[in-house]
């Protein structure tokens, strides 16, 4: 993953990244703004600021396209999720996934369906 691992991606920046990941192709700032506007109601200026921050963090690339720029992610969604998950585990649970699951179980934040899915995943990983 590029330097974005060192430069924390904010929730707002993640929303912009999500729009780019979902598009699967380079987008203009206006196109990104259209995609996030329904959910966030942000102005084009706000989206451009977020795009600039992501460029500075090496999380997205820009490419000139006439008088505008096209933006595309340099980090994949899975790499981002992996990095953020690891950061959460390290910061809050001493790097131990078992501690995270214990906390969620004690807080009754896991449904029966969640537990069944986790058990299935663990069985798959042990194969």
């Amino acid at each position: 993953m590029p330097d974005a691992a060192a430069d924390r991606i904010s929730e707002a920046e993640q929303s912009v990244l999500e729009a780019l990941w979902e598009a699967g192709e380079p987008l203009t700032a206006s196109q990104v703004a259209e995609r996030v506007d329904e959910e966030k109601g942000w102005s084009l200026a706000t989206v451009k600021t977020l795009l600039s921050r992501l460029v500075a963090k090496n999380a997205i690339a820009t490419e000139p396209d006439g008088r505008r720029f096209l933006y595309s992610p340099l980090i994949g969604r899975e790499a981002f999720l992996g990095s953020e998950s690891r950061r959460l585990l390290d910061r809050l649970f001493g790097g131990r996934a078992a501690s995270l699951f214990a906390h969620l179980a004690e807080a009754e934040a896991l449904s029966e369906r969640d537990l069944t899915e986790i058990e299935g995943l663990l069985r798959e990983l042990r194969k």
Side-chain angles (χ1 to χ4, degrees):
M1 183 166 150
D3 294 341
D7 294 329
R8 181 141 165 65
I9 306 271
S10 71
E11 278 188 52
E13 293 163 346
Q14 182 183 347
S15 295
V16 170
L17 273 172
E18 293 285 351
L20 292 169
W21 288 324
E22 287 174 16
E25 63 183 3
L27 297 177
T28 65
S30 295
Q31 290 171 318
V32 173
E34 286 173 14
R35 288 172 180 259
V36 298
D37 182 50
E38 292 174 16
E39 179 185 335
K40 304 289 184 183
W42 293 335
S43 69
L44 179 58
T46 299
V47 170
K48 285 183 176 183
T49 297
L50 294 168
L51 288 166
S52 294
R53 289 180 188 168
L54 289 165
V55 168
K57 292 178 180 184
N58 293 319
I60 64 173
T62 65
E63 175 185 338
D65 182 45
R67 294 176 49 148
R68 61 188 185 170
F69 287 93
L70 294 174
Y71 297 89
S72 56
L74 289 173
I75 58 175
R77 190 170 196 283
E78 291 304 314
F80 173 76
L81 290 176
S83 173
E84 288 296 300
S85 298
R86 173 54 50 197
R87 181 175 298 175
L88 173 75
L89 279 178
D90 290 345
R91 193 175 89 238
L92 299 180
F93 299 99
R96 301 200 57 235
S99 296
L100 166 64
F101 287 109
H103 171 75
L104 293 173
E106 288 170 5
E108 298 179 11
L110 296 174
S111 67
E112 281 300 316
R113 180 178 175 190
D114 291 330
L115 292 171
T116 301
E117 288 178 8
I118 291 167
E119 289 169 353
L121 290 169
L122 292 173
R123 277 193 296 278
E124 286 295 314
L125 290 171
R126 288 190 176 136
K127 287 184 182 181

